[in-house]
Amino acid sequence: MALKNPVMDKIYSELVSEGFLTEEQLVAVRNKQEETGESLAHVLAEEKLLTEEQVAEFIGNQLGVPHIDLTGYGIDPEVIRLVPEGVARRYKIIPLFKIEDTLSIVMANPLDVFALDDIRYQVGCEVEPLISTESSIKTAIDHYYGASYKIDEVSQNIDEIAKEAMLSERINLDDLEAAASQPPVVKLVNEIILQAVRDKASDIHIEPKKEGLGIRYRIDGFLHRISSPPKQLLLPIVSRMKIMAGMDIMERRIPQDGRVETQVSGKDIDLRVSSYPTIYGEKLVLRVLDKSSMSFALPHLGLSDENLNKLQSIVKSPYGIILVVGPTGSGKSSTLYAVLSELNALDKNIITIEDPVEYQMENIIQAQVNYKVGMTFAAGLRSILRQDPDIIMVGEIRDKETAELAIRSSLTGHLVLSTLHTNDSAGAITRLIDMGIEPFLVASSILGILGQRLVRTICVKCKESYAPPEKALEELGVSKDSGLMLHKGKRCPVCKKTGFKGRTGIFELLLMNDQLRELTINKRPTAELKAAAIASGMKPLREDGFDKVKKGITTLEEVLRVVRLKE
């Protein structure tokens, strides 16, 4: 039988008396707490009776404990170091500030006297509890106890023999493997990868410099520096990562590629590792592919309802070619995977040739190019045609041979999906013709061309509205008397002081029609093709981006950053 807790009993009673819960709801909540052992805030939020924030504020008021919104604080690293990470995670607390002999800590459960006593013992001073939500505390722990705080510890623990070996010009294989296998080095590399996954980074950059070593994460398209470890850690870190990726640790004169399949916090992670020799040592870039976090579904890409319906309609066509276009890093591969997910069925034979295969999909036959043995996009596509395919995905059209094979495949009863590097959808038509493809083949094979970019979305934790200046309203084509309010992020710890968290797409979908086919056959310029597509109902990238600005999804500056004025 659970022990009585008079304080919690009073809180339960007040929840009913103040009208937050009925007696029946309270009984159900207490029963669920006893069954699961979960906190009151967790159960109420799960049952959608109250939000975590409401519960934290209510309990704080009842106990006389100040409620803290952690998104408004930047915590001093010296304060973070007072409480070990393991203690912070065990008790779900984060140290906030220290004044004289009192440390203020933010807790999800200020009634946990065991946690308070343990922390007093750990830090050797008085402890004052504050309250916040469990989820915001976890976010703060993940942010502040990142890889940056492990650097000093690892540097101090590398033994002197390894340090001398790292600084030697004639390092041998045994010394290199020994240094890379030291527990502190292994721990540091694991922390670098773990923090990248927590921060949802797409890439990790390990960069040698004249006087040191830099580590940066690419998050939402932008690089963020996380630490500047000493130069002596370069070879141990690089060697450890190369060993993990099956690369030659003694070869530092030429670029290499490798791959790591691992699990991080229960997630299946693929790391694509690329090395590049520089004048100060090898630079590594690790592409982080988090299989568990990817949602390959067309409705999740950010397409407007109109574009989504049109795209879903053309992907059901039995034959023809659909192209996704945009610059590097615009999300083309994710869109192709989302289309494949839409088409995936046991009665279809779907085969891909990719460079590389980024995500494995059930029921789909996937292969990747290997230029060393002659497995190019064109060679792979020829072989696919002998495999009785219904749907073919070619990762990218890079040359005339691949383009011809893809288009002829689409005209002989196959649905072909591919990407092309052009700035907009209309430009893809002229690019194919410039490659040497006959205009009549382009006109008769293309079903649609989806142009896209990625824009950062405003952080929901610090999102605020504001009255835009007149110039911004003019840019959006809105009257100054419209009363339109725009949105921006105030810059909080959750979004790493950027004001943005996550990304979405902006799109334009060109659907081929008789007028566009005639213009294509007559080799009309891109501008004329684009004007005809807009007249036929295509909303250009810029306009789709402006719609997302008006809806408070992103900012005007962000759209203008990725879309040129003439687009």
Side-chain angles (χ1 to χ4, degrees):
M1 178 180 286
L3 294 173
K4 291 282 186 180
N5 186 327
V7 178
M8 282 306 300
D9 286 342
K10 184 176 183 298
I11 289 172
Y12 290 133
S13 176
E14 290 294 330
L15 281 169
V16 174
S17 65
E18 294 193 21
F20 289 104
L21 299 178
T22 66
E23 289 285 358
E24 293 78 8
Q25 288 172 328
L26 178 60
V27 171
V29 166
R30 297 192 72 164
N31 288 340
K32 187 163 185 179
Q33 273 191 274
E34 287 185 9
E35 290 172 13
T36 63
E38 296 286 0
S39 67
L40 174 62
H42 181 89
V43 173
L44 289 173
E46 190 174 59
E47 296 296 319
K48 298 183 178 176
L49 296 171
L50 290 171
T51 65
E52 267 194 295
E53 201 70 38
Q54 287 174 316
V55 178
E57 284 188 34
F58 181 83
I59 293 176
N61 290 335
Q62 294 298 315
L63 300 178
V65 174
H67 171 260
I68 297 295
D69 179 2
L70 280 171
T71 58
Y73 283 88
I75 306 174
D76 187 339
E78 293 301 320
V79 174
I80 292 292
R81 290 190 179 97
L82 294 174
V83 178
E85 181 180 357
V87 174
R89 291 193 183 279
R90 185 185 319 131
Y91 295 124
K92 298 171 185 171
I93 68 100
I94 189 85
L96 194 64
F97 52 81
K98 186 181 179 186
I99 299 176
E100 295 181 349
D101 291 331
T102 301
L103 176 67
S104 294
I105 63 169
V106 186
M107 310 177 70
N109 179 15
L111 294 173
D112 190 343
V113 293
F114 297 107
L116 290 168
D117 287 342
D118 195 3
I119 295 164
R120 282 191 191 99
Y121 175 77
Q122 293 275 349
V123 299
C125 69
E126 283 302 308
V127 173
E128 177 193 32
L130 309 170
I131 190 169
S132 191
T133 64
E134 188 175 316
S135 59
S136 66
I137 291 171
K138 182 180 182 302
T139 298
I141 291 171
D142 288 344
H143 173 67
Y144 287 106
Y145 289 95
S148 297
Y149 295 99
K150 308 294 179 181
I151 298 296
D152 292 340
E153 174 192 346
V154 175
S155 179
Q156 292 165 8
N157 284 304
I158 293 179
D159 64 49
E160 291 304 318
I161 296 174
K163 287 180 182 179
E164 290 177 13
M166 293 308 98
L167 297 173
S168 170
E169 291 295 325
R170 296 186 177 182
I171 187 167
N172 62 52
L173 180 61
D174 290 340
D175 288 340
L176 203 52
E177 287 180 338
S181 300
Q182 284 193 53
V185 174
V186 173
K187 184 177 180 182
L188 174 58
V189 169
N190 291 344
E191 285 292 339
I192 290 170
I193 296 169
L194 175 60
Q195 189 63 31
V197 173
R198 285 175 181 161
D199 287 347
K200 295 182 170 56
S202 61
D203 301 88
I204 304 169
H205 289 242
I206 311 295
E207 301 170 320
K209 300 182 179 300
K210 185 176 181 180
E211 300 298 335
L213 167 63
I215 301 175
R216 294 193 289 174
Y217 293 156
R218 187 175 294 280
I219 302 171
D220 296 336
F222 283 76
L223 284 168
H224 299 267
R225 184 173 298 283
I226 68 159
S227 60
S228 296
K231 182 79 170 182
Q232 66 203 38
L233 291 185
L234 173 61
L235 273 176
I237 290 173
V238 169
S239 298
R240 174 63 187 166
M241 290 180 170
K242 288 173 74 174
I243 288 171
M244 292 169 66
M247 299 158 71
D248 184 351
I249 61 173
M250 288 301 290
E251 180 54 78
R252 302 195 293 274
R253 300 164 301 173
I254 60 174
Q256 295 184 63
D257 294 300
R259 179 181 178 184
V260 182
E261 291 187 38
T262 187
Q263 273 207 338
V264 178
S265 299
K267 299 178 179 180
D268 290 326
I269 303 294
D270 262 10
L271 300 171
R272 303 297 168 86
V273 186
S274 170
S275 72
Y276 186 76
T278 77
I279 58 173
Y280 296 122
E282 282 184 288
K283 168 172 177 163
L284 290 189
V285 175
L286 289 75
R287 170 62 55 88
V288 183
L289 303 174
D290 182 355
K291 298 177 183 178
S292 63
S293 69
M294 296 304 296
S295 175
F296 296 121
L298 285 178
H300 297 165
L301 297 179
L303 289 155
S304 66
D305 291 341
E306 182 182 1
N307 279 339
L308 177 61
N309 291 334
K310 288 178 179 178
L311 184 59
Q312 286 176 324
S313 175
I314 63 171
V315 300
K316 292 174 184 174
S317 303
Y319 59 89
I321 186 166
I322 298 171
L323 296 173
V324 181
V325 304
T328 300
S330 58
K332 299 187 296 296
S333 295
S334 294
T335 298
L336 283 185
Y337 281 122
V339 173
L340 287 179
S341 181
E342 184 94 357
L343 297 170
N344 197 355
L346 287 174
D347 63 346
K348 299 290 185 185
N349 183 22
I350 304 175
I351 308 180
T352 75
I353 176 71
E354 307 171 49
D355 184 21
V357 174
E358 292 189 3
Y359 295 96
Q360 297 170 17
M361 305 184 75
E362 275 192 52
N363 304 322
I364 293 178
I365 308 302
Q366 296 173 267
Q368 67 184 36
V369 299
N370 185 341
Y371 294 105
K372 292 179 181 177
V373 297
M375 179 65 160
T376 62
F377 278 120
L381 187 48
R382 279 197 203 90
S383 297
I384 287 173
L385 292 172
R386 294 193 288 272
Q387 293 287 314
D388 185 31
D390 295 297
I391 298 165
I392 301 168
M393 192 266 268
V394 181
E396 184 183 343
I397 292 175
R398 295 177 179 171
D399 52 50
K400 179 183 178 182
E401 185 181 14
T402 306
E404 278 186 338
L405 284 166
I407 285 177
R408 293 190 183 278
S409 300
S410 73
L411 293 172
T412 54
H414 307 96
L415 180 65
V416 179
L417 312 170
S418 192
T419 70
L420 200 60
H421 280 276
T422 63
N423 286 324
D424 58 14
S425 51
I429 295 174
T430 50
R431 174 64 59 84
L432 289 171
I433 294 172
D434 289 343
M435 280 183 176
I437 308 301
E438 291 293 337
F440 77 91
L441 289 175
V442 176
S444 55
S445 62
I446 289 179
L447 295 169
I449 304 170
L450 183 71
Q452 67 178 73
R453 299 287 192 279
L454 289 177
V455 293
R456 294 178 294 171
T457 52
I458 299 169
C459 174
V460 296
K461 291 290 185 181
C462 61
K463 186 176 182 178
E464 64 177 1
S465 60
Y466 70 97
E470 191 172 330
K471 185 176 180 182
L473 292 173
E474 286 177 12
E475 193 78 55
L476 292 168
V478 176
S479 165
K480 63 181 179 180
D481 301 321
S482 65
L484 176 70
M485 299 292 285
L486 298 186
H487 295 80
K488 63 182 178 181
K490 288 191 291 186
R491 302 172 183 261
C492 66
V494 172
C495 59
K496 296 189 180 298
K497 305 289 185 180
T498 64
F500 298 95
K501 186 74 173 175
R503 290 191 289 180
T504 190
I506 60 174
F507 301 90
E508 63 179 22
L509 179 58
L510 180 151
L511 297 181
M512 190 62 83
N513 57 30
D514 290 340
Q515 183 187 7
L516 285 167
R517 288 189 186 95
E518 184 177 343
L519 292 172
T520 300
I521 290 170
N522 291 324
K523 296 186 179 181
R524 303 307 301 163
T526 300
E528 200 170 326
L529 290 164
K530 183 170 185 174
I534 292 172
S536 300
M538 182 186 82
K539 180 178 285 187
L541 282 167
R542 186 179 172 87
E543 296 303 317
D544 190 52
F546 286 172
D547 283 348
K548 288 181 170 64
V549 172
K550 294 171 188 175
K551 291 175 181 176
I553 297 170
T554 189
T555 66
L556 178 60
E557 295 77 13
E558 184 68 6
V559 171
L560 295 178
R561 178 181 67 83
V562 300
V563 181
R564 296 187 311 182
L565 289 176
K566 68 178 183 180
E567 293 174 345

